[in-house]
Amino acid sequence: MQDMKQPNDCVNDYDDDLFVGEEEKPTYFPTCRFCGMITLPTAPYASQEAANEAATRQCKCPDAVAYQTEIDRAAKRDRNIKRLTQSLDDLSEYCEKRSVALSGNLYDSLLKTGIAVLDDVIDSAQLKFARMRVAVGKNNKGNLVIKFTYSDGAAVEV
C-alpha cells in the first residue's frame, strides 16, 4: 500500500498483511453434558471438554445440580482429609512429648477411622492405646472432632 499523508502531516501506513501469521484460536461453545444446553463462551477455553465442564458446573438442570453437589462433596472430603492428616500430625507431636509413639499401623488406624467417620460409614469410634484414649466423631455442625486424653496411670487407693 502507498503511504497516505494526512493534512496534519501524520503518516498512516496501514498494512492489511499485518495480522497474517497470527492464528485465530478456536472458540468453544460450552454445552451442558446432561441437558445439552449451549451457552455463550465466557472465557477462552483450552478445549471443548473444558468448555463443557464449565457449562455443566453452571447449568441448573437436575442432573447438573446433582453433579455439582457431588463435586462439592468430593472437594470438601479432600479438604477434610487434609485437615485430619494435619490434626493427626499435631497429635503425633503431642504423643511424642509423652513418650507414646503414634506412627505406623496406629497412625494408619486413626487415619482410616477418621475417614470412615467423614464418609458416614461409622458414627464415631474410640481407640485406646498405651496411656492414650482417642475419640473420633462429628459434632452437631457435621465437623470432625478428635478428642484425646492422656493418663499418666497414677492411682491412689485409700
Side-chain angles (χ1 to χ4, degrees), residues 18-146:
L18 201 65
F19 298 105
V20 173
E22 283 187 25
E23 291 185 32
E24 186 176 321
K25 293 183 180 180
T27 301
Y28 298 106
F29 289 90
T31 305
C32 175
R33 63 174 66 122
F34 297 107
C35 69
M37 186 171 115
I38 300 172
T39 59
L40 292 174
T42 57
Y45 301 106
S47 66
Q48 186 63 48
E49 281 301 313
N52 292 349
E53 180 68 19
T56 304
R57 289 185 181 218
Q58 298 298 320
C59 190
K60 301 298 179 199
C61 72
D63 290 336
V65 170
Y67 175 74
Q68 294 160 13
T69 303
E70 183 62 28
I71 287 178
D72 292 343
R73 188 196 65 73
K76 183 179 178 183
R77 180 183 186 271
D78 290 343
R79 284 191 310 270
N80 285 336
I81 289 173
K82 186 176 181 178
R83 291 198 334 250
L84 171 63
T85 304
Q86 290 171 347
S87 296
L88 288 177
D89 291 343
D90 293 342
L91 179 60
S92 294
E93 291 175 19
Y94 175 83
C95 290
E96 283 178 15
K97 291 178 185 175
R98 283 150 183 81
S99 301
V100 176
L102 181 60
S103 60
N105 290 336
L106 184 57
Y107 183 92
D108 292 341
S109 295
L110 284 171
L111 181 63
K112 288 177 183 176
T113 301
I115 291 172
V117 171
L118 283 173
D119 291 343
D120 292 324
V121 174
I122 58 175
D123 190 39
S124 63
Q126 189 174 52
L127 291 96
K128 295 180 182 179
F129 56 93
R131 291 174 268 164
M132 298 286 298
R133 182 175 55 193
V134 179
V136 182
K138 285 186 179 179
N139 63 9
N140 292 337
K141 297 177 192 175
N143 297 329
L144 188 69
V145 178
I146 301 173

